[in-house]
Amino acid sequence: MHDTYAQPAHPERPGSVYPRRRARWQPGGRLADNSAVDQAREWIKKASKIAVLTGAGISAESGIPTFRGDGGLWKDHKPEELATPEAFLRDPRLVWEWYDWRRQAIATAKPNPAHFALVELECQKPHFTLVTQNVDGLHDRAGSGRVLKLHGDIWRLRCLECRSDWPDQRAPLPKLPPHCRCGGMARPGVVWFGEPLPAGMWLEAEHAAGDAEVLLVIGTSAVVHPAASLVTVARAAKAKVIEVNVASMGPRSIDRGNRDGATRDHVQLYRFNGAAID
């Protein structure tokens, strides 16, 4: 699914209310064996070029739902029935009611230790790129500086008439659907099902994955394309891959032949609250 979640604001920048914390991920719950944790730490410590791919799982601890499974309905609608250009043309108010509800839910969420750990890692490494499939903006609020938002930003609006693009952090919005100053109707600034990813941003993400010594894959099974292909790009360039998820993805895993522990170039870790970065 392209459209997951996002929220603006940079806590480490003017106007922020979130102080920078020294983040240190600590293992919680079931893990792969200790050798996998040690291996991941060693790879991260030695690498000067790191790329990160995050998905909805990294924001789960912040209380943001993924809209998957039995609890993934909103007013009897599935996300894939609302997050499409066709749905918006058919009933823009209904689609905006869903996004306005989501924006209000995200507005009360806060970045969790995993978000702050990535900020700390960015400060330590001279070459660092964070690629996210989320639209919730929690990476921004944690203080991440270099973020490629493949699926857009729920806190931006785009005019269907003049193509203007602007931030709007109000939640709830005073009028649905919202409109541009030119009078045109606005849509959420996200990538919907059936729409291509921003071409320039995708090229940057591919370059970062291909140049990385280590690729961290956090909170995503990395099986949804095109984002999943970043793992293939990184491996082709001989990068180490560290997968961090709340549980083993089994046959859906990005390393289907090794469900637990560490291999020569791949590590899987389960139920982490953050990363062992120092």
Side-chain angles (χ1 to χ4, degrees), residues 44 69 87 106 149 193 224 230:
I44 292 172
I106 300 168
K149 302 175 183 177
F193 287 110
V224 178
L230 295 179

Side-chain angles (χ1 to χ4, degrees), residues 6-8 130-132 134 137 140 147-153 198 201:
Q7 167 158 10
L130 173 55
V131 183
T132 186
N134 299 340
D140 294 332
V147 185
L148 300 179
K149 302 175 183 177
L150 292 182
H151 298 162
D153 189 333
M201 188 177 297

